[in-house]
Amino acid sequence: MAAYPQDPGTPDESYVAFWRERHLCTLTTARPDGTPHVVPVGVTYDPEARLARVITNTASAKAGNVRAAGPAGAPVAVCQVDGRRWATLEGRAFVRTDPERVAEAERRYAERYARVPAPNPARVVIEIELTRAMGRG
């Protein structure tokens, strides 16, 4: 098993393999009043780019919470667990609307979850610029 701390850009292979498996994850954002907002999501992890991606609707609360944090981005965490294995990625989140970025997030989602997301003209991607990774893959 991987050690608890990981470098989000060069994690252990078991950690990366765990993030390639199909698992439901959670995303934690802060509401404008500071309270945590935790929701189930699909997440993809791209260690080479030091990014995690979450596709969502532009009107979702999670996208709104990220936008409300302002131009510096929102501190967030994504997590997955499977028995004694767990993994958390942390960083600064930004809502991206660029069609190429959204398409890349959709492609990665389809690869990890073996399901092409239904078309959604209001889809955006929450990109998390990773600063910390931890867990046991």
Side-chain angles (χ1 to χ4, degrees):
M1 285 196 169
Y4 292 118
Q6 295 285 327
D7 178 328
T10 57
D12 292 342
E13 182 52 40
S14 62
Y15 192 80
V16 174
F18 185 41
W19 277 103
R20 287 186 185 128
E21 297 172 11
R22 187 179 192 277
H23 292 288
L24 186 61
C25 304
T26 60
L27 168 67
T28 303
T29 61
R31 294 182 183 100
D33 69 2
T35 59
H37 178 255
V38 184
V39 293
V41 293
V43 176
T44 61
Y45 175 32
D46 181 356
E48 293 81 23
R50 295 180 74 98
L51 287 176
R53 296 176 178 93
V54 175
I55 57 175
T56 189
N57 191 300
T58 191
S60 70
K62 56 188 157 284
N65 291 341
V66 171
R67 278 192 205 94
V76 302
V78 290
C79 184
Q80 67 181 22
V81 64
D82 181 37
R84 297 185 71 165
R85 298 182 308 154
W86 61 276
T88 299
L89 299 168
E90 298 177 11
R92 290 266 168 196
F94 301 87
V95 175
R96 308 292 191 197
T97 59
D98 177 70
E100 283 108 25
R101 286 181 140 155
V102 174
E104 177 65 7
E106 290 171 332
R107 183 191 70 76
R108 289 175 178 273
Y109 178 95
E111 184 179 282
R112 181 175 189 198
Y113 292 97
R115 183 176 83 73
V116 175
N120 179 353
R123 180 168 290 129
V124 296
V125 58
I126 296 173
E127 286 186 348
I128 305 164
E129 296 177 0
L130 300 173
T131 57
R132 183 179 298 169
M134 61 191 104
R136 296 176 62 107

